[in-house]
């Protein structure tokens, strides 16, 4: 049995050698590989959703663009802007400050960025993951509405979701917030599952997944802002007194409000750290995996032997990285929820 | 670096999408699930405490039962002991009475025997007196004819004998 496994792995690795040899022939014709371009292209946002390239042709899922230009609101599909085409004076900048974004030319010839509310790849991915999340949770809730929990054990989707929800609710929310945790548990649970599903979907390399949603600062900014609101909107007297008149020697808070400045600064660093942590972790994970994939093509350009052997190593590393990212996907959702709960708990105690 | 710059469009859509998701889930999703789970937890806790209570009641009942059995046993012992004592008392009293009765009967019999004896002696004596008189009379009658002085003399002798007997 063990020998069979080893032979199987060797065959798979042997297969890995084949396409890299052929890739080399194809790639050598084109110029060098711009790793930075690939990394930013895949981790960034885009107007269309590139699904795959088949025989040199790109297959893109066109997404709606909603732009408020100098000529008013414009609605069109992203396919109108492909290959450098322009639509009513709007086009995608090739380089410059607004590279890969929709811009229009101002009368003096410079590029200006109109208000752009397009359904981009990330927005579309957000919608898909939100739909999945809504389905998962609402179907679970429906199970509970239709069954008598006192006499029936959870089955189906409730069996899948209940342990997760209960463990997050008990170990994070209840533990960190204390007695009035019920008010916050919907938000924290939503944040946890929202981040988790987006993280996991980002690891799927093909169509419905693959977007770098939680590795985008706008998404984490909104999430961190929600935590900021939850912490500070319902903070009690004790919490605000700790910020505005902390228990420190008088000269530290009067006449120069040194401690107050630090505390108020801390007020904002907490959500910013939440925002950056999630963003950087997910972005780095995507970049690592993409970088490893790029190594295959770079090594293939050097020579078939190095290319082939590097492919084996890189694929092994890629598998490892993907497993690690699976872990990170959960850990980051967990950490975001836990820290949010801790911050909320801090604003409620006393 | 445009990676660090949040894009207005994505911010806008993220806010809307997250708001909708949060609204739906906090209205129809999580509270129902956590509420139901809590309800079940409470029920399980109640069932457990009920079971514990029942167990306690049972052990209490058992203890009381044992107590009752013990009490019954001691009562039984006491009754048996009392009965044994009573029996002994009755037997000893009966024995005493019997002994007394026997003694009484014996003494009565002795008195009666003495009486009978005295009677018999008296009868025998009078019999002997009359017999000896008859014998003497026969002897005297043969020797002395019916002499008056002799008759008187013998009568006197007889009286003397009787007197000495009575004494």
């Amino acid at each position: 049995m063990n020998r069979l496994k080893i032979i199987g792995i060797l065959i798979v690795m042997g297969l890995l050698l084949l396409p890299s040899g052929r890739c080399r022939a194809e790639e050598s014709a084109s110029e060098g590989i711009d790793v930075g371009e690939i990394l930013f292209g895949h981790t960034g946002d885009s107007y269309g959703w590139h699904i795959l390239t088949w025989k040199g042709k790109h297959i893109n899922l066109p997404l709606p663009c909603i732009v408020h230009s100098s000529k008013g609101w414009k609605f069109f599909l992203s396919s109108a802007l492909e290959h450098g085409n322009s639509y009513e004076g709007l086009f995608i900048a090739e380089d410059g400050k607004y590279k890969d974004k929709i811009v229009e030319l101002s009368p003096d010839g410079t590029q200006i960025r109109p208000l752009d509310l397009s359904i981009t790849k990330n927005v579309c991915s957000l919608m898909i993951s939100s739909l999945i999340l809504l389905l998962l949770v609402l179907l679970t809730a429906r199970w509970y509405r239709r069954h008598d929990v006192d006499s029936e054990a959870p089955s189906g989707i409730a069996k899948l979701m209940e342990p997760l929800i209960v463990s997050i609710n008990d170990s994070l929310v209840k533990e960190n917030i204390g007695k009035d945790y019920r008010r916050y548990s919907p938000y924290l649970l939503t944040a946890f599952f929202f981040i988790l599903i987006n993280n996991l979907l980002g690891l799927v390399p093909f169509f419905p997944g693959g977007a770098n949603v939680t590795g985008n600062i706008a998404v984490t900014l909104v999430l961190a802002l929600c935590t900021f609101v939850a912490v500070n909107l319902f903070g009690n007297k004790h919490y605000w007194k700790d910020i505005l008149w902390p228990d420190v020697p008088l000269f530290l808070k009067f006449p120069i409000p040194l401690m107050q400045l630090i505390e108020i600064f801390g007020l904002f660093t907490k959500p910013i750290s939440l925002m950056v942590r999630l963003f950087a972790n997910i972005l780095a994970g995507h970049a690592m995996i993409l970088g490893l994939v790029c190594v295959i093509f770079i090594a293939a350009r050097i020579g078939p032997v190095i290319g082939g052997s590097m492919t084996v190593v890189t694929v092994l590393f890629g598998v490892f990285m993907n497993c690690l990212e699976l872990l990170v996907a959960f850990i980051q959702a967990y950490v975001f929820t836990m820290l949010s709960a801790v911050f909320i708990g801090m604003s409620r105690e006393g | 670096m445009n990676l660090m710059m949040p894009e207005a469009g994505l911010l806008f859509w993220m806010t809307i999408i997250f708001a909708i998701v949060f609204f739906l889930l906090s209205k129809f999703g999580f509270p129902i699930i956590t509420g139901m789970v809590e309800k079940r937890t409470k029920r399980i806790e109640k069932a457990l405490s009920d079971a514990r209570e029942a167990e306690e009641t049972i052990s209490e009942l058992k203890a009381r039962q044992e107590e009752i059995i013990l009490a019954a046993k001691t009562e039984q012992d006491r009754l048996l002991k009392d009965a044994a004592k009573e029996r002994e008392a009755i037997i000893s009293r009966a024995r005493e009475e019997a002994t007394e009765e026997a003694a009484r009967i014996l003494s009565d019999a002795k008195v009666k025997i003495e009486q009978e004896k005295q009677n018999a002696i008296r009868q025998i004596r009078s019999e002997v007196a009359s017999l000896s008189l008859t014998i003497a009379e026969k002897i005297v009658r043969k020797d002395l004819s019916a002499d008056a002085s002799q008759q008187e003399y013998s009568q006197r002798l007889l009286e003397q004998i009787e007197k000495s007997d009575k004494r």
Side-chain angles (χ1 to χ4, degrees), chain A residues 43-58:
Chain A
T43 53
D45 210 350
S46 64
Y47 289 100
W49 196 325
H50 178 229
I51 293 172
L52 81 159
T53 304
W54 184 254
K55 288 178 180 166
K57 274 177 77 180
H58 296 291

Side-chain angles (χ1 to χ4, degrees), chain B residues 42-54:
Chain B
K42 259 182 207 149
R43 196 187 128 81
I44 290 170
E45 268 167 17
K46 196 179 161 290
L48 281 178
S49 74
D50 279 1
R52 211 173 305 124
E53 241 167 58

Side-chain angles (χ1 to χ4, degrees), chain A residues 96 113 247 252:
Chain A
R113 182 103 169 84
D247 289 327
L252 280 175

Side-chain angles (χ1 to χ4, degrees), chain A residues 113 117 150 162 181-182, chain B residues 7 13 32 38 40 43:
Chain A
R113 182 103 169 84
L117 300 182
D150 284 348
E162 194 198 292
Y181 73 94
R182 271 191 192 79
Chain B
E7 207 46 57
W13 286 112
I32 291 166
E38 223 157 84
R40 189 176 55 204
R43 196 187 128 81

Side-chain angles (χ1 to χ4, degrees), chain B residues 84-145:
Chain B
K85 235 186 255 168
E86 193 82 349
R87 191 186 58 193
E88 277 239 317
I90 288 170
I91 287 172
S92 66
R93 210 183 310 138
R95 194 173 285 150
E96 268 166 33
E97 268 171 23
T99 318
E100 269 171 30
E101 186 70 18
R104 201 175 52 78
I105 289 169
L106 215 62
S107 66
D108 277 7
K110 265 183 191 158
V111 169
K112 213 163 236 174
I113 286 168
E114 192 63 25
Q115 267 176 6
E116 290 296 314
K117 202 171 101 187
Q118 291 296 330
N119 277 354
I121 286 171
R122 206 176 294 134
Q123 258 175 18
I124 288 168
R125 198 168 283 159
S126 67
E127 201 84 356
V128 166
S130 80
L131 270 179
S132 47
L133 196 65
T134 321
I135 292 168
E137 193 187 66
K138 288 236 165 108
I139 295 167
V140 169
R141 195 165 289 161
K142 196 182 169 186
D143 275 356
L144 314 161
S145 54

